[in-house]
Amino acid sequence: MKIGIVVFPGSNCDRDCFHVLKTLKQDVRYLWHKNATFPKMDALVLPGGFSYGDYLRTGAIARFSPIMKEVVRFAKGGGKVLGICNGFQVLTETGLLPGVLMRNEGLKFICESVPLEVVNYQTPFTTAYGARSSVQIPIAHMDGNYFADDETLRRLEGEGQVVFRYLNNPNGSARNIAGICSKKGNILGMMPHPERCAEDVLGNQDGRKLFESLIG
Amino acid sequence: MKVNVYVTLKQGVLDPQGKAVGHALDTLGFKNVANVRIGKLIELEIAAKNKTQAKEEVKEMCEKLLANTVIESYQFEIE
């Protein structure tokens, strides 16, 4: 599979994602945000980090990077897009996913491994998890407090778009939401970092299954 | 023309930062303070033919970038 990792100034989980996908023997490459086009890809990853120093709002400036027009076109055409942490924030700012990631309720940066429920295991990113699974994946963010209006939240629940839920809500997220997908399921945004737990040496392999699902 | 754009959280959106500052003010002895909310002030200068044109452009800036209208509202004044 050809997978592109979009690199913004301030991205810092791009190499981790690259490493995991390389370990899984995929054809991975970095896509610099200044390029307005990129070669044909099977999937894209928007990695974690602090694009543009989180200036104005997280993801707000990255959204206008030259590459984003093509990313939006790719996503709207059904291409698989995985946004992790800052990548999730960029996806909401872009409008590819609804809602917004606000400052954590406790106003602190949280960096810890947290238990999650895999709510929807039928997305292209979660098939390897199976029904009723709970996983342990690290979070590392200051702005992960998911917010959307009630109507949007109801719609997300109704359409099976809530993919991951915190078992012990760490940041104040509405309905304990840790990750959501688009209506068609081809776009996933999540605050936890699956690339940080894809090998035993990093604690566990719960995150690896997400990439394995994606590769199929 | 000089423009001041004020971006604030919409009513009903929880503002933990405002709450923390409110608690601190209370601790300092300002017992008469309530509902502290924190926002942003963005100053900019714009070259425009007239105020109407400037208004239109600033509104577009707010909608597209300066505010995230899911949670924030904005106001601005043009000097």
Side-chain angles (χ1 to χ4, degrees), chain B residues 28 43 51:
Chain B
L28 278 173
E43 297 175 335
K51 256 193 172 175

Side-chain angles (χ1 to χ4, degrees), chain A residues 20 24 82 84 114-138 162-165 179 188 190 192-199 204-216:
Chain A
V20 174
L24 294 171
L82 167 63
I84 302 167
V114 298
L116 303 167
E117 177 197 357
V118 184
V119 185
N120 184 345
Y121 62 96
Q122 286 168 326
T123 76
F125 307 90
T126 49
T127 45
Y129 287 110
R132 276 188 286 281
S133 45
S134 51
V135 291
Q136 189 84 21
I137 300 183
V162 177
V163 181
F164 292 103
R165 232 192 273 275
L188 172 69
M190 60 190 296
H193 286 271
E195 79 282 11
R196 293 193 187 180
C197 57
E199 293 160 276
N204 70 53
Q205 294 206 5
D206 286 353
R208 190 184 179 100
K209 284 188 180 167
L210 189 133
F211 295 99
E212 287 172 346
S213 307
L214 172 64
I215 294 159

